[in-house]
């Protein structure tokens, strides 16, 4: 594990949340990106070396819509940066973590990502991400 790449926050309304987080952080988001496969629209804010990722559902079946329905708005996941996502998946499986997608997929911000089920990490959804350089 390297650094905390970003913290993902589920929001109902991206536009409103963008304004709130811009006020909080003193700087506007630097990009907005839709990830069709996940049914989300995201925005990113820089915070030093890390980022805040706001996530709004774009359809009712989106994992973000379901999360908000169950738990309300709030922290949705913590993403760790890794140098070798395939090796980390292998290592974490051995450690007993439940890996949700064993083949990394293309996520927001041109990253290869995978997720660990919250039940294996005390209620927190964990994302691993690696720069998508080798495609
Ligand atoms: Zn994320």
């Amino acid at each position: 594990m390297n650094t905390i790449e970003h913290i993902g926050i589920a929001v109902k309304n991206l536009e409103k949340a963008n304004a709130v987080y811009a006020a909080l952080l003193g700087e506007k988001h630097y990009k907005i990106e839709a990830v069709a496969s996940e049914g989300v629209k995201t925005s990113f804010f820089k915070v030093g070396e890390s980022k805040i990722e706001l996530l709004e559902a774009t359809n009712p079946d989106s994992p973000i819509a379901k999360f908000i329905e169950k738990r309300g708005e709030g922290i949705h996941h913590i993403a760790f940066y890794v140098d070798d996502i395939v090796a980390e998946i292998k290592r974490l499986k051995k450690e007993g973590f439940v890996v949700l997608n064993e083949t990394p997929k293309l996520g927001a911000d041109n990253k290869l990502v995978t997720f660990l089920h919250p039940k294996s990490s005390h209620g927190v959804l964990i994302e691993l991400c690696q720069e998508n350089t080798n495609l």
Side-chain angles (χ1 to χ4, degrees):
M1 294 285 170
N2 224 305
T3 181
I4 292 183
E5 215 280 331
H6 64 268
I7 294 177
I9 299 174
V11 304
K12 287 182 185 161
N13 182 311
L14 196 62
E15 211 176 303
K16 282 185 187 163
N18 275 340
V20 169
Y21 276 81
L24 174 70
L25 300 170
E27 215 173 309
K28 266 187 64 153
H29 60 275
Y30 66 93
K31 75 163 156 184
I32 287 189
E33 187 180 344
V35 185
S37 60
E38 299 287 315
V40 296
K41 202 160 86 178
T42 67
S43 65
F44 285 90
F45 293 81
K46 283 202 173 83
V47 189
E49 297 286 295
S50 299
K51 299 162 191 159
I52 295 287
E53 174 187 36
L54 302 181
L55 303 122
E56 179 195 72
T58 53
N59 70 65
D61 295 325
S62 156
I64 294 302
K66 288 179 182 152
F67 176 88
I68 289 177
E69 207 172 282
K70 264 207 284 197
R71 295 168 66 166
E73 290 185 298
I75 293 181
H76 176 259
H77 63 271
I78 296 179
F80 295 99
Y81 189 82
V82 297
D83 294 321
D84 184 344
I85 195 166
V86 173
E88 280 299 307
I89 288 171
K90 229 170 141 184
R91 183 182 73 81
L92 292 167
K93 272 185 70 183
K94 257 190 222 155
E95 293 285 351
F97 290 91
V98 179
V99 178
L100 290 177
N101 52 302
E102 295 194 20
T103 306
K105 54 187 178 179
L106 193 56
D109 210 23
N110 193 38
K111 298 281 194 295
L112 288 173
V113 302
T114 195
F115 289 92
L116 308 181
H117 196 286
K119 77 181 173 193
S120 56
S121 43
H122 295 264
V124 179
L125 178 65
I126 304 291
E127 176 182 347
L128 306 179
C129 58
Q130 178 200 313
E131 212 64 56
N132 179 33
T133 51
N134 44 8
L135 284 186

